[in-house]
Amino acid sequence: PHPRCFQESGSWFLTTTPLVRSVSVDLNNDASLVIDIPDALCERDKVKFTVHTKTTLSSFQKPEFSVPRQHEEFIWLHDTIVETEEYAGLIIPPAPPKPDFEGPREKMHKLGEGESSMTKEEYAKMKQELEAEYLAVFKKTVQVHEVFLQRLSSHPIFRKDRNFQIFLEYDQDLSVRRKNAKEMFGGFFKNMVKSADEVLISGVKEVDEFFEQEKTFLLDYSSKIKDASAKAEKMTRSHKNVADDYNHISGALNSTAADNNTAFKKHLEKYAEVFEKLRKLEDRVASDQELKLTELLRYYTRDIQAAKDLLYRRARALADNENSNKALDKARLKGKDIAQAEENQKQCLQKFDKLSESGKKELTSFKARRVVAFRKNLIEMTELEIKHAKVRRLKCCVYHYMFTRQCSGSHGKPGNMREF
Amino acid sequence: MSCMKRLCHETRSHDRLRRTLAVCLRLSRRLLLKMSEERDAAALSGSAQTEGEEDLFVSAMESPEAARLSAEDISPSSNGPKAEPMLLDDDPDDLFAEATEEVSLDSPERQPILSDGPSPVITPVTPVMISSRADVFDRSPDQDEDEEENRDTFDIQISVSDPEKVGDGMNAYMVYKVLTKTSLSIFSRDEVCVKRRFSDFLGLHSKLASKYMHMGYIVPPAPEKSIVGMTKVKVGKEDLSSVEFVEKRRSALERYLLRTVKHPALLKDPDVLQFLESSELPRAVSTQALSGAGILRMVNKAADAVNKMTIKMNESDAWFEEKQQQFENLDVQLRKLHASVESLVCHRKELSVNTASFAKSAAMLGNSEDHTALSRALSQLAEVEEKIDQLHQDQACADFYLISELLGDYVRLITAVKGVFDQRMKTWAKCQDAQVMLQRKREAEAKLQHANKPDKLQQAKDEIREWEGKVQQGERDFEQISKNIRREVGRFEKDRVKDFRVVIIKYLESLVHTQQQMIKYWEAFLPEAKAIA
């Protein structure tokens, strides 16, 4: 099933038939709440996702409904969940990154500028490439927004979140304000605190071996996966550059053929065809590698960060717990406010225990989820690589045969190059 | 050749001779001689010598009965040289129709071609052709030319190898082993091995250019000098870039020699034979850039450029005008194409580097991963990517040595072709100058008629005779160079089809090979990925 993308009056409309989302697996198993993004619309800078819900839960007003949502509204949802104290012991699904149409937009600009200097064929070809690029960016951004929602819907606690319901159901604009200066500053401050947290995590004495191991693992893994994700991106970029070069070579061969009127002309046109085929195949390799490998690594870089955030919160709770113990001892010593201190200590301990318990569960299922996703994607990527290599080999063999056949004695036959 | 039969039915009432000659023309794969290259007449390959063709032509005129060829007579050639690309036209009918148009024996362009014998400087393989004229009509002329082709491309193999550094410091130079294997009789031995340095190659080219260019022969250009490249080698850096430089040069020198001997006239040239065979070669000092000869060359080049601008030739022959324009266009196009391929090489190398970098990163990630099976799979992935990096490197080499260098060679060749057209212009200018001079002498003589100076008058008459001779010589030279250029251009056009095809075939082979390896590597990895549990 392929997404279809067509243009209506300057905007891009994407419909997707249900694609298997492979970045996180088995997210739509529970039929009681099924969410997907069947289509999206890109108007100028804004992308409007159609969020479609099917549910048997009574908490919703209707069994099936769709709402349009923009990226900012996803971010609002993510932030409200992060800020919910109750969810401190859970891994919060990472926010989807902003849709980035910068690349195709630049190309579109160039296309518009250079329209007069291009031949009709060149223009049509570039337009086609542009559409393909838009489609690729579209696919990626839809996938990543969809997975975010599906992570929430498949989690026993998040799916019951009131804001999540509003997000899915409320058919008016959520009027998500742009963050004002105070909030932005607040966010910055939060980040600062977070990096202090990292010191905190490493500094805090860990009694629980499970968490000790997780901490060591996550701290190391997060830097490694970030690096791998960046390197995979560079590799994909190089593939795209090679495909681009094949494209230019094909074009240059065609131009040379156009100026020629000897036997050479037909050969050049054939060679141009070869390079055009090579280009298409290289493009496919690049985009498949991107979806299966680069996107996978990018996603899990974000997810690992979410897991780390959980550790921070727990470490904070541990620190709070220790502080409350100290405060209680102090109060007992002073003989003042003992009840308050006891209450405080009890609450801190409760919180810490709750966080530890749910944290353990979350981190264990996180690992399982990660392993499954890697397995699926690595298998799919390998199968695609094999497929593409076989196709490329076949095509090259065909052309090779074609060109060598002209050499060997086909005397006596009024061969027709067209028949090839 | 059923289409030939078709032609016989479809052509209008031409006399039998013309029809047969048209067929001959088609089969003999005429190289040039066309006024306008509307169709790909030169699609037909084979390195038939013009002279041989003319003989064919002439003999056909004399014995039309012997020239009766029909489809049945043409037996498929049994030769099997892979380098023999026989192209088949996609529109034989048109070709035949056009061929019959061409065959106007009375056309003025034909006459000089028919009447001229082989030029004394060139000693092509025609003696064989002429003697076997009787055979020619029994078997396919294709076969004959293929054999010639055989002789040219298969009976001589040249390799340039084993670069060795001689000397130290700034006086150091590389010496290459030049091995020639051949069964051609002009060579004294079957196998000759000599040692040559770069300036020897330049010297050879310089000699050939001075001998043949002014006659309109396209002399293959020698590889370019590179002060930067050579300095690194001299200084003794054994790094990758100087190794690559030496390999690039070695390959270029080999291609240069192969192209030179492919030229039927140059193959017989004594300087070429001496280069390939004699163990000692006088050092070509005049090739140094800053030598006296080098400076003289630069001055001459500048003078030529100025002359080119001032000579306004009345082109009576549209063929030349058209061809020149075509070569101008081709020059631009090939340069652009070359630039694109260089970009491909560059990006492929980048891909290789990035793949290696990713491989390392994946290995680190695998080490960090605490799930055992996944950890192992990631390490395996890293290994696969490392192997693929090597494949990318190999492919980049193929990209470069096959395609990029071919295009580079052709860009330089086109410069040589354009040079040959310039030589024709110069010859024409010389002819014009001689005519002007003659006119002046005649005018002077006319004046002296009334001056009553008998001895001066005699001198004037002598001078007139002298310049009449020069004018005649100039016209002959011009005709000769025009004829040579037509033939050379035809040969060039035929060769380029062959050259490009050979390269593309090899390139496709390299691609098939890398894909084969890739399939192997990924198929080995797949079970590892599936084993993640």
Side-chain angles (χ1 to χ4, degrees), chain B residues 363-399:
Chain B
M364 302 264 283
L365 188 64
N367 282 342
S368 176
E369 175 62 59
D370 62 351
H371 185 272
T372 329
L374 179 55
S375 167
R376 193 175 59 234
L378 285 170
S379 306
Q380 301 282 34
L381 177 67
E383 276 180 35
V384 170
E385 294 285 0
E386 249 180 62
K387 290 194 196 136
I388 289 186
D389 154 40
Q390 188 56 50
L391 285 183
H392 287 317
Q393 277 181 45
D394 294 344
Q395 190 57 58
C397 269
D399 292 341

mmCIF file of all heavy atoms in Angstrom, chain B residues 363-399:
data_model
loop_
_atom_site.group_PDB
_atom_site.id
_atom_site.type_symbol
_atom_site.label_atom_id
_atom_site.label_comp_id
_atom_site.label_asym_id
_atom_site.label_seq_id
_atom_site.Cartn_x
_atom_site.Cartn_y
_atom_site.Cartn_z
ATOM 1 N N ALA B 363 29.159 -0.578 15.908
ATOM 2 C CA ALA B 363 29.907 -1.505 16.756
ATOM 3 C C ALA B 363 29.888 -1.027 18.206
ATOM 4 O O ALA B 363 29.679 -1.812 19.138
ATOM 5 C CB ALA B 363 31.336 -1.633 16.255
ATOM 6 N N MET B 364 30.080 0.281 18.389
ATOM 7 C CA MET B 364 30.056 0.846 19.741
ATOM 8 C C MET B 364 28.676 0.647 20.366
ATOM 9 O O MET B 364 28.550 0.318 21.548
ATOM 10 C CB MET B 364 30.350 2.345 19.679
ATOM 11 C CG MET B 364 31.651 2.690 19.052
ATOM 12 S SD MET B 364 32.931 2.928 20.298
ATOM 13 C CE MET B 364 32.487 4.545 20.867
ATOM 14 N N LEU B 365 27.657 0.873 19.532
ATOM 15 C CA LEU B 365 26.291 0.716 20.027
ATOM 16 C C LEU B 365 26.059 -0.730 20.439
ATOM 17 O O LEU B 365 25.440 -1.010 21.470
ATOM 18 C CB LEU B 365 25.300 1.132 18.932
ATOM 19 C CG LEU B 365 23.826 1.209 19.354
ATOM 20 C CD1 LEU B 365 23.616 2.273 20.402
ATOM 21 C CD2 LEU B 365 22.937 1.471 18.149
ATOM 22 N N GLY B 366 26.569 -1.645 19.620
ATOM 23 C CA GLY B 366 26.435 -3.063 19.949
ATOM 24 C C GLY B 366 27.103 -3.404 21.260
ATOM 25 O O GLY B 366 26.562 -4.172 22.063
ATOM 26 N N ASN B 367 28.268 -2.826 21.487
ATOM 27 C CA ASN B 367 28.967 -3.057 22.757
ATOM 28 C C ASN B 367 28.177 -2.561 23.940
ATOM 29 O O ASN B 367 28.176 -3.156 25.012
ATOM 30 C CB ASN B 367 30.326 -2.346 22.742
ATOM 31 C CG ASN B 367 31.332 -3.130 21.936
ATOM 32 O OD1 ASN B 367 31.130 -4.312 21.676
ATOM 33 N ND2 ASN B 367 32.391 -2.468 21.534
ATOM 34 N N SER B 368 27.494 -1.422 23.714
ATOM 35 C CA SER B 368 26.769 -0.799 24.800
ATOM 36 C C SER B 368 25.446 -1.515 25.096
ATOM 37 O O SER B 368 24.949 -1.503 26.217
ATOM 38 C CB SER B 368 26.529 0.666 24.446
ATOM 39 O OG SER B 368 25.749 1.299 25.405
ATOM 40 N N GLU B 369 24.891 -2.136 24.066
ATOM 41 C CA GLU B 369 23.582 -2.792 24.184
ATOM 42 C C GLU B 369 23.637 -3.928 25.191
ATOM 43 O O GLU B 369 24.535 -4.778 25.129
ATOM 44 C CB GLU B 369 23.179 -3.314 22.798
ATOM 45 C CG GLU B 369 21.893 -4.121 22.753
ATOM 46 C CD GLU B 369 20.669 -3.337 23.181
ATOM 47 O OE1 GLU B 369 20.389 -2.314 22.538
ATOM 48 O OE2 GLU B 369 20.025 -3.732 24.169
ATOM 49 N N ASP B 370 22.667 -3.951 26.115
ATOM 50 C CA ASP B 370 22.761 -4.976 27.152
ATOM 51 C C ASP B 370 21.958 -6.231 26.821
ATOM 52 O O ASP B 370 22.123 -7.261 27.466
ATOM 53 C CB ASP B 370 22.371 -4.413 28.520
ATOM 54 C CG ASP B 370 20.928 -3.930 28.551
ATOM 55 O OD1 ASP B 370 20.300 -3.884 27.481
ATOM 56 O OD2 ASP B 370 20.454 -3.568 29.640
ATOM 57 N N HIS B 371 21.118 -6.138 25.808
ATOM 58 C CA HIS B 371 20.406 -7.346 25.384
ATOM 59 C C HIS B 371 21.357 -8.154 24.500
ATOM 60 O O HIS B 371 21.813 -7.683 23.457
ATOM 61 C CB HIS B 371 19.156 -6.950 24.606
ATOM 62 C CG HIS B 371 18.289 -8.107 24.237
ATOM 63 N ND1 HIS B 371 18.468 -8.831 23.081
ATOM 64 C CD2 HIS B 371 17.255 -8.671 24.885
ATOM 65 C CE1 HIS B 371 17.557 -9.794 23.029
ATOM 66 N NE2 HIS B 371 16.815 -9.717 24.113
ATOM 67 N N THR B 372 21.656 -9.368 24.900
ATOM 68 C CA THR B 372 22.737 -10.143 24.262
ATOM 69 C C THR B 372 22.557 -10.329 22.773
ATOM 70 O O THR B 372 23.467 -10.057 21.995
ATOM 71 C CB THR B 372 22.846 -11.545 24.903
ATOM 72 O OG1 THR B 372 22.451 -11.463 26.267
ATOM 73 C CG2 THR B 372 24.257 -12.062 24.796
ATOM 74 N N ALA B 373 21.377 -10.827 22.394
ATOM 75 C CA ALA B 373 21.168 -11.142 20.975
ATOM 76 C C ALA B 373 21.213 -9.881 20.123
ATOM 77 O O ALA B 373 21.797 -9.870 19.027
ATOM 78 C CB ALA B 373 19.854 -11.870 20.785
ATOM 79 N N LEU B 374 20.601 -8.833 20.634
ATOM 80 C CA LEU B 374 20.597 -7.584 19.875
ATOM 81 C C LEU B 374 22.013 -7.025 19.776
ATOM 82 O O LEU B 374 22.434 -6.520 18.745
ATOM 83 C CB LEU B 374 19.669 -6.561 20.534
ATOM 84 C CG LEU B 374 19.571 -5.184 19.858
ATOM 85 C CD1 LEU B 374 19.185 -5.314 18.393
ATOM 86 C CD2 LEU B 374 18.579 -4.288 20.571
ATOM 87 N N SER B 375 22.737 -7.187 20.870
ATOM 88 C CA SER B 375 24.109 -6.710 20.879
ATOM 89 C C SER B 375 24.928 -7.400 19.799
ATOM 90 O O SER B 375 25.679 -6.771 19.049
ATOM 91 C CB SER B 375 24.730 -6.961 22.257
ATOM 92 O OG SER B 375 26.116 -6.790 22.199
ATOM 93 N N ARG B 376 24.754 -8.707 19.729
ATOM 94 C CA ARG B 376 25.513 -9.453 18.725
ATOM 95 C C ARG B 376 25.101 -9.026 17.325
ATOM 96 O O ARG B 376 25.935 -8.841 16.440
ATOM 97 C CB ARG B 376 25.319 -10.956 18.904
ATOM 98 C CG ARG B 376 26.356 -11.725 18.081
ATOM 99 C CD ARG B 376 26.309 -13.213 18.282
ATOM 100 N NE ARG B 376 25.021 -13.747 17.936
ATOM 101 C CZ ARG B 376 24.301 -14.488 18.765
ATOM 102 N NH1 ARG B 376 24.752 -14.773 19.969
ATOM 103 N NH2 ARG B 376 23.120 -14.943 18.389
ATOM 104 N N ALA B 377 23.788 -8.869 17.110
ATOM 105 C CA ALA B 377 23.292 -8.476 15.785
ATOM 106 C C ALA B 377 23.870 -7.126 15.374
ATOM 107 O O ALA B 377 24.270 -6.931 14.226
ATOM 108 C CB ALA B 377 21.779 -8.436 15.782
ATOM 109 N N LEU B 378 23.942 -6.200 16.327
ATOM 110 C CA LEU B 378 24.478 -4.875 15.994
ATOM 111 C C LEU B 378 25.952 -4.971 15.626
ATOM 112 O O LEU B 378 26.424 -4.291 14.714
ATOM 113 C CB LEU B 378 24.266 -3.912 17.163
ATOM 114 C CG LEU B 378 22.825 -3.421 17.342
ATOM 115 C CD1 LEU B 378 22.664 -2.665 18.656
ATOM 116 C CD2 LEU B 378 22.399 -2.534 16.185
ATOM 117 N N SER B 379 26.683 -5.831 16.327
ATOM 118 C CA SER B 379 28.092 -6.004 15.973
ATOM 119 C C SER B 379 28.224 -6.590 14.575
ATOM 120 O O SER B 379 29.097 -6.198 13.808
ATOM 121 C CB SER B 379 28.796 -6.922 16.975
ATOM 122 O OG SER B 379 28.614 -6.437 18.275
ATOM 123 N N GLN B 380 27.354 -7.535 14.280
ATOM 124 C CA GLN B 380 27.390 -8.129 12.938
ATOM 125 C C GLN B 380 27.053 -7.088 11.892
ATOM 126 O O GLN B 380 27.652 -7.049 10.809
ATOM 127 C CB GLN B 380 26.379 -9.275 12.826
ATOM 128 C CG GLN B 380 26.599 -10.398 13.806
ATOM 129 C CD GLN B 380 27.713 -11.310 13.381
ATOM 130 O OE1 GLN B 380 28.685 -10.861 12.787
ATOM 131 N NE2 GLN B 380 27.578 -12.575 13.687
ATOM 132 N N LEU B 381 26.072 -6.246 12.222
ATOM 133 C CA LEU B 381 25.695 -5.178 11.297
ATOM 134 C C LEU B 381 26.906 -4.298 11.000
ATOM 135 O O LEU B 381 27.168 -3.922 9.863
ATOM 136 C CB LEU B 381 24.554 -4.338 11.875
ATOM 137 C CG LEU B 381 24.114 -3.143 11.027
ATOM 138 C CD1 LEU B 381 23.484 -3.604 9.729
ATOM 139 C CD2 LEU B 381 23.146 -2.256 11.783
ATOM 140 N N ALA B 382 27.651 -4.012 12.079
ATOM 141 C CA ALA B 382 28.853 -3.189 11.911
ATOM 142 C C ALA B 382 29.824 -3.845 10.948
ATOM 143 O O ALA B 382 30.420 -3.186 10.084
ATOM 144 C CB ALA B 382 29.510 -2.948 13.270
ATOM 145 N N GLU B 383 29.983 -5.155 11.075
ATOM 146 C CA GLU B 383 30.900 -5.865 10.183
ATOM 147 C C GLU B 383 30.428 -5.814 8.739
ATOM 148 O O GLU B 383 31.235 -5.624 7.825
ATOM 149 C CB GLU B 383 31.028 -7.328 10.616
ATOM 150 C CG GLU B 383 32.042 -7.523 11.721
ATOM 151 C CD GLU B 383 32.143 -8.981 12.143
ATOM 152 O OE1 GLU B 383 32.016 -9.862 11.283
ATOM 153 O OE2 GLU B 383 32.341 -9.207 13.346
ATOM 154 N N VAL B 384 29.129 -5.999 8.557
ATOM 155 C CA VAL B 384 28.579 -5.945 7.195
ATOM 156 C C VAL B 384 28.838 -4.581 6.577
ATOM 157 O O VAL B 384 29.286 -4.459 5.440
ATOM 158 C CB VAL B 384 27.064 -6.233 7.198
ATOM 159 C CG1 VAL B 384 26.449 -5.931 5.837
ATOM 160 C CG2 VAL B 384 26.793 -7.675 7.565
ATOM 161 N N GLU B 385 28.594 -3.544 7.373
ATOM 162 C CA GLU B 385 28.762 -2.193 6.843
ATOM 163 C C GLU B 385 30.223 -1.924 6.493
ATOM 164 O O GLU B 385 30.530 -1.232 5.519
ATOM 165 C CB GLU B 385 28.246 -1.150 7.837
ATOM 166 C CG GLU B 385 26.737 -1.209 8.073
ATOM 167 C CD GLU B 385 25.905 -0.641 6.919
ATOM 168 O OE1 GLU B 385 26.479 -0.181 5.916
ATOM 169 O OE2 GLU B 385 24.667 -0.670 7.024
ATOM 170 N N GLU B 386 31.119 -2.506 7.275
ATOM 171 C CA GLU B 386 32.540 -2.338 6.957
ATOM 172 C C GLU B 386 32.862 -2.953 5.610
ATOM 173 O O GLU B 386 33.604 -2.378 4.801
ATOM 174 C CB GLU B 386 33.385 -3.029 8.026
ATOM 175 C CG GLU B 386 34.156 -2.065 8.886
ATOM 176 C CD GLU B 386 34.967 -2.796 9.930
ATOM 177 O OE1 GLU B 386 35.851 -3.573 9.527
ATOM 178 O OE2 GLU B 386 34.689 -2.600 11.123
ATOM 179 N N LYS B 387 32.320 -4.136 5.383
ATOM 180 C CA LYS B 387 32.569 -4.798 4.093
ATOM 181 C C LYS B 387 31.959 -3.985 2.963
ATOM 182 O O LYS B 387 32.537 -3.862 1.880
ATOM 183 C CB LYS B 387 31.944 -6.191 4.099
ATOM 184 C CG LYS B 387 32.641 -7.161 5.000
ATOM 185 C CD LYS B 387 32.185 -8.585 4.704
ATOM 186 C CE LYS B 387 32.580 -9.510 5.832
ATOM 187 N NZ LYS B 387 31.516 -10.426 6.215
ATOM 188 N N ILE B 388 30.781 -3.423 3.236
ATOM 189 C CA ILE B 388 30.115 -2.637 2.198
ATOM 190 C C ILE B 388 30.899 -1.372 1.898
ATOM 191 O O ILE B 388 30.969 -0.913 0.749
ATOM 192 C CB ILE B 388 28.675 -2.332 2.620
ATOM 193 C CG1 ILE B 388 27.881 -3.633 2.557
ATOM 194 C CG2 ILE B 388 28.035 -1.292 1.735
ATOM 195 C CD1 ILE B 388 26.430 -3.479 2.811
ATOM 196 N N ASP B 389 31.524 -0.824 2.914
ATOM 197 C CA ASP B 389 32.387 0.332 2.709
ATOM 198 C C ASP B 389 33.458 -0.004 1.674
ATOM 199 O O ASP B 389 33.744 0.783 0.764
ATOM 200 C CB ASP B 389 32.993 0.732 4.057
ATOM 201 C CG ASP B 389 34.308 1.443 3.904
ATOM 202 O OD1 ASP B 389 34.443 2.267 2.989
ATOM 203 O OD2 ASP B 389 35.227 1.168 4.698
ATOM 204 N N GLN B 390 34.035 -1.189 1.816
ATOM 205 C CA GLN B 390 35.053 -1.602 0.854
ATOM 206 C C GLN B 390 34.464 -1.679 -0.550
ATOM 207 O O GLN B 390 35.094 -1.267 -1.531
ATOM 208 C CB GLN B 390 35.613 -2.975 1.274
ATOM 209 C CG GLN B 390 36.802 -3.410 0.463
ATOM 210 C CD GLN B 390 37.925 -2.401 0.502
ATOM 211 O OE1 GLN B 390 38.338 -1.938 1.565
ATOM 212 N NE2 GLN B 390 38.429 -2.022 -0.664
ATOM 213 N N LEU B 391 33.231 -2.185 -0.641
ATOM 214 C CA LEU B 391 32.563 -2.258 -1.946
ATOM 215 C C LEU B 391 32.397 -0.869 -2.545
ATOM 216 O O LEU B 391 32.606 -0.664 -3.746
ATOM 217 C CB LEU B 391 31.185 -2.903 -1.808
ATOM 218 C CG LEU B 391 31.127 -4.408 -1.604
ATOM 219 C CD1 LEU B 391 29.672 -4.858 -1.571
ATOM 220 C CD2 LEU B 391 31.844 -5.134 -2.714
ATOM 221 N N HIS B 392 32.027 0.075 -1.704
ATOM 222 C CA HIS B 392 31.859 1.443 -2.207
ATOM 223 C C HIS B 392 33.174 1.979 -2.749
ATOM 224 O O HIS B 392 33.212 2.654 -3.775
ATOM 225 C CB HIS B 392 31.354 2.358 -1.094
ATOM 226 C CG HIS B 392 29.924 2.129 -0.727
ATOM 227 N ND1 HIS B 392 28.943 1.940 -1.660
ATOM 228 C CD2 HIS B 392 29.309 2.065 0.477
ATOM 229 C CE1 HIS B 392 27.779 1.765 -1.062
ATOM 230 N NE2 HIS B 392 27.965 1.838 0.236
ATOM 231 N N GLN B 393 34.251 1.660 -2.041
ATOM 232 C CA GLN B 393 35.565 2.124 -2.499
ATOM 233 C C GLN B 393 35.883 1.535 -3.864
ATOM 234 O O GLN B 393 36.362 2.236 -4.750
ATOM 235 C CB GLN B 393 36.646 1.701 -1.520
ATOM 236 C CG GLN B 393 36.794 2.626 -0.340
ATOM 237 C CD GLN B 393 37.890 2.154 0.576
ATOM 238 O OE1 GLN B 393 38.956 1.785 0.094
ATOM 239 N NE2 GLN B 393 37.640 2.142 1.855
ATOM 240 N N ASP B 394 35.631 0.229 -3.990
ATOM 241 C CA ASP B 394 35.889 -0.417 -5.281
ATOM 242 C C ASP B 394 35.052 0.218 -6.376
ATOM 243 O O ASP B 394 35.515 0.439 -7.494
ATOM 244 C CB ASP B 394 35.555 -1.909 -5.198
ATOM 245 C CG ASP B 394 36.490 -2.641 -4.266
ATOM 246 O OD1 ASP B 394 37.548 -2.080 -3.943
ATOM 247 O OD2 ASP B 394 36.153 -3.774 -3.863
ATOM 248 N N GLN B 395 33.802 0.484 -6.036
ATOM 249 C CA GLN B 395 32.914 1.073 -7.040
ATOM 250 C C GLN B 395 33.400 2.453 -7.437
ATOM 251 O O GLN B 395 33.336 2.845 -8.595
ATOM 252 C CB GLN B 395 31.484 1.138 -6.476
ATOM 253 C CG GLN B 395 30.439 1.494 -7.504
ATOM 254 C CD GLN B 395 30.430 0.553 -8.670
ATOM 255 O OE1 GLN B 395 30.255 -0.652 -8.509
ATOM 256 N NE2 GLN B 395 30.653 1.071 -9.856
ATOM 257 N N ALA B 396 33.886 3.213 -6.445
ATOM 258 C CA ALA B 396 34.399 4.557 -6.741
ATOM 259 C C ALA B 396 35.570 4.450 -7.717
ATOM 260 O O ALA B 396 35.717 5.265 -8.628
ATOM 261 C CB ALA B 396 34.832 5.270 -5.468
ATOM 262 N N CYS B 397 36.393 3.442 -7.531
ATOM 263 C CA CYS B 397 37.507 3.225 -8.457
ATOM 264 C C CYS B 397 36.998 2.968 -9.860
ATOM 265 O O CYS B 397 37.501 3.533 -10.827
ATOM 266 C CB CYS B 397 38.343 2.010 -8.031
ATOM 267 S SG CYS B 397 39.671 2.467 -6.947
ATOM 268 N N ALA B 398 35.996 2.102 -9.941
ATOM 269 C CA ALA B 398 35.421 1.812 -11.259
ATOM 270 C C ALA B 398 34.849 3.085 -11.868
ATOM 271 O O ALA B 398 35.059 3.383 -13.041
ATOM 272 C CB ALA B 398 34.357 0.734 -11.153
ATOM 273 N N ASP B 399 34.106 3.830 -11.047
ATOM 274 C CA ASP B 399 33.540 5.089 -11.527
ATOM 275 C C ASP B 399 34.636 5.931 -12.156
ATOM 276 O O ASP B 399 34.480 6.512 -13.227
ATOM 277 C CB ASP B 399 32.947 5.920 -10.377
ATOM 278 C CG ASP B 399 31.717 5.277 -9.767
ATOM 279 O OD1 ASP B 399 31.118 4.406 -10.420
ATOM 280 O OD2 ASP B 399 31.376 5.661 -8.633
#
